[in-house]
Amino acid sequence: MVVEPKVRGFICTTAHPVGCDKAVKDQIDYVKAQGKLDGAKKVLVIGSSMGYGLASRIAAAFGCGAATLGVMFDKPASGNKTATSGWYNTKAFEKYAAAEGLYAKTVNGDAYSEEVKKEVIDLIKSDLGKVDLVVYSLAAPRRTVGETVYKSVLKTTGESYTNKTIDLRNNAITEITLDPATDEEIEATVKVMGGEDWEDWINALKAADALEDNAVTLAYSYIGPTITHPMYYNGSIGRAKAHLLATSKKITENGVRAYVSVNKALVTQSSSAIPIVPLYISILYKVMKAKGNHEGCIEQMRRLFGKLYGGELNLDGEGQIRMDDWEMQDDVQAEVSKMWDSINADNFKELTDMDGYWSDFYALFGFGIDGVDYSADVEVDVN
């Protein structure tokens, strides 16, 4: 069938198998061009099929030559529906890894569940023995614990917050007011997006003797500028990220070196859903591309692995790795703030890189990738 993008708001309901394959190959080629790293050799990536998780897996495999085991939660094609982009990405990754003799297997299921943890640990014990790096890169809307389903929310805490945003349905500048989360909603968001499950994974791996003595674990976070703080850093999601940071210290105290990496704002399935952030990203792209220091997911993760294995980690006062260092430079943020204050419907196109934003968005689902014939019939049912 001929596959075209079908977008509703911040969700694309189709994915292009050939486009996803080419996007993965482009990321692999980038990492290989940067040279080899003397780093991790057996890696578990929890949340491995898109964005930072996929980029981490590519950096580990094709940068360090690592065997990788991934955990994803994706759907195959069904009838006239395409598979999810994560499904196609993973198929492509495994194909290219196999071509270079690299171990690559993937478990598809709910990473929060005990069943998936057991399946992953059984694979590690039978195939790898132990792992030396665990990357935790989950961004999920809900988590089931026992009989309880916790749902995360994107809200402020304390009081309502009003600011500019962009309506992704029509690229229009609008104003949005976010209401404060209830205590129950904050608790649920921490349950879903905090560090509890990360710690559960590490404890399960330790109990099974599936971690090397020098093992490291990473989880990803974001802080951002004051523009986004009320609904992110100081919002319900920020409470979860604070819990993630506290968990990193607890895991380290219990014998496994754990870091939170604060990454750059980028177009991902998750960031597209957060009010205010897409408009900020479109301005940030404009500024950073002009300065020549813009990075995508794969550039960020290859640079992170370079820091982790042989470079300077660039830790802040809380012990977090600051991969947002170029984003948060004073000159970058000064220009972003100036544009934010003056942006309106008349100068919107001049002050943003919405073309770049949408290009990255469509690329998440395999569309708009150079070298792909989108008029051609493609096989969508990929095992």
Side-chain angles (χ1 to χ4, degrees):
M1 61 186 283
V2 175
V3 181
E4 297 179 345
K6 295 180 181 179
V7 178
R8 294 200 305 265
F10 57 86
I11 297 173
C12 186
T13 60
T14 56
H16 198 284
V18 178
C20 288
D21 185 290
K22 180 61 163 52
V24 169
K25 181 64 163 56
D26 289 347
Q27 292 181 71
I28 290 170
D29 288 346
Y30 172 82
V31 168
K32 290 170 69 174
Q34 306 309 302
K36 289 292 185 181
L37 290 168
D38 183 13
K41 298 305 177 188
K42 294 176 289 183
V43 179
L44 170 62
V45 182
I46 304 161
S48 63
S49 66
M50 288 186 77
Y52 279 125
L54 174 63
S56 299
R57 193 175 190 186
I58 291 170
F62 296 93
C64 302
T68 62
L69 178 57
V71 182
M72 68 178 189
F73 199 19
D74 283 280
K75 294 181 180 180
S78 177
N80 62 354
K81 292 184 178 180
T82 70
T84 58
S85 57
W87 184 276
Y88 294 138
N89 290 340
T90 302
K91 171 65 178 177
F93 173 85
E94 290 185 351
K95 178 184 73 174
Y96 290 117
E100 300 203 12
L102 295 169
Y103 174 98
K105 289 187 179 180
T106 310
V107 172
N108 188 33
D110 182 0
Y112 292 125
S113 71
E114 294 305 314
E115 293 78 11
V116 166
K117 289 181 175 68
K118 182 179 185 306
E119 184 177 354
V120 168
I121 289 171
D122 287 347
L123 265 176
I124 291 172
K125 298 299 289 183
S126 65
D127 292 3
L128 303 175
K130 301 180 181 184
V131 294
D132 54 13
L133 175 64
V134 179
V135 176
Y136 189 84
S137 184
L138 285 190
R142 63 184 62 84
R143 174 188 174 200
T144 300
V145 181
E147 298 297 317
T148 305
V149 178
Y150 295 97
K151 296 180 180 180
S152 62
V153 298
L154 297 166
K155 293 187 176 183
T156 63
T157 57
E159 58 184 27
S160 298
Y161 177 63
T162 301
N163 208 326
K164 301 169 187 173
T165 191
I166 184 168
D167 187 337
L168 292 175
R169 295 170 297 182
N170 54 18
N171 280 0
I173 299 290
T174 62
E175 200 171 71
I176 190 170
T177 297
L178 300 174
D179 295 325
T182 65
D183 290 342
E184 291 77 15
E185 288 174 325
I186 293 171
E187 179 186 359
T189 303
V190 171
K191 276 283 187 181
V192 177
M193 295 296 294
E196 186 175 78
D197 184 63
W198 182 25
E199 184 180 10
D200 287 348
W201 269 100
I202 299 302
N203 287 342
L205 290 162
K206 285 173 63 179
D209 193 27
L211 288 177
E212 297 283 5
D213 291 339
N214 64 340
V216 176
T217 184
L218 298 170
Y220 298 142
S221 188
Y222 182 66
I223 292 177
T226 55
I227 294 169
T228 64
H229 280 186
M231 41 66 56
Y232 196 97
Y233 184 63
N234 296 326
S236 55
I237 193 73
R239 294 286 187 91
K241 295 305 184 181
H243 188 274
L244 191 75
L245 175 58
T247 301
S248 72
K249 297 176 180 179
K250 186 177 178 183
I251 292 172
T252 298
E253 289 170 358
N254 290 332
V256 179
R257 203 155 38 109
Y259 294 104
V260 169
S261 177
V262 180
N263 299 334
K264 177 194 175 192
L266 287 172
V267 180
T268 65
Q269 183 70 76
S270 302
S271 69
S272 298
I274 305 173
I276 300 171
V277 168
L279 179 58
Y280 165 74
I281 290 175
S282 70
I283 298 173
L284 180 71
Y285 274 24
K286 180 83 170 181
V287 172
M288 294 191 73
K289 287 179 180 180
K291 291 182 177 294
N293 58 2
H294 171 70
E295 292 177 312
C297 285
I298 195 62
E299 291 86 3
Q300 277 264 291
M301 292 301 95
R302 175 54 178 80
R303 187 158 68 95
L304 170 61
F305 274 64
K307 288 176 176 290
L308 195 62
Y309 299 108
E312 293 289 334
L313 280 181
N314 188 27
L315 302 179
D316 65 14
E318 293 285 357
Q320 300 175 112
I321 304 171
R322 298 306 295 262
M323 294 303 300
D324 64 343
D325 48 354
W326 297 353
E327 172 187 352
M328 298 309 296
Q329 285 177 183
D330 290 344
D331 60 329
V332 170
Q333 286 303 315
E335 289 191 37
V336 171
S337 295
K338 183 179 179 181
M339 291 180 176
W340 183 274
D341 290 341
S342 60
I343 197 168
N344 55 47
D346 295 329
N347 60 17
F348 165 69
K349 290 185 178 180
E350 176 188 345
L351 297 183
T352 67
D353 180 25
M354 280 309 299
D355 287 343
Y357 181 95
W358 279 112
S359 176
D360 282 7
F361 176 87
Y362 283 115
L364 291 173
F365 306 96
F367 297 106
I369 307 298
D370 289 343
V372 177
D373 180 2
Y374 290 98
S375 67
D377 281 319
V378 293
E379 176 57 63
V380 299
D381 190 6
V382 177
N383 292 323

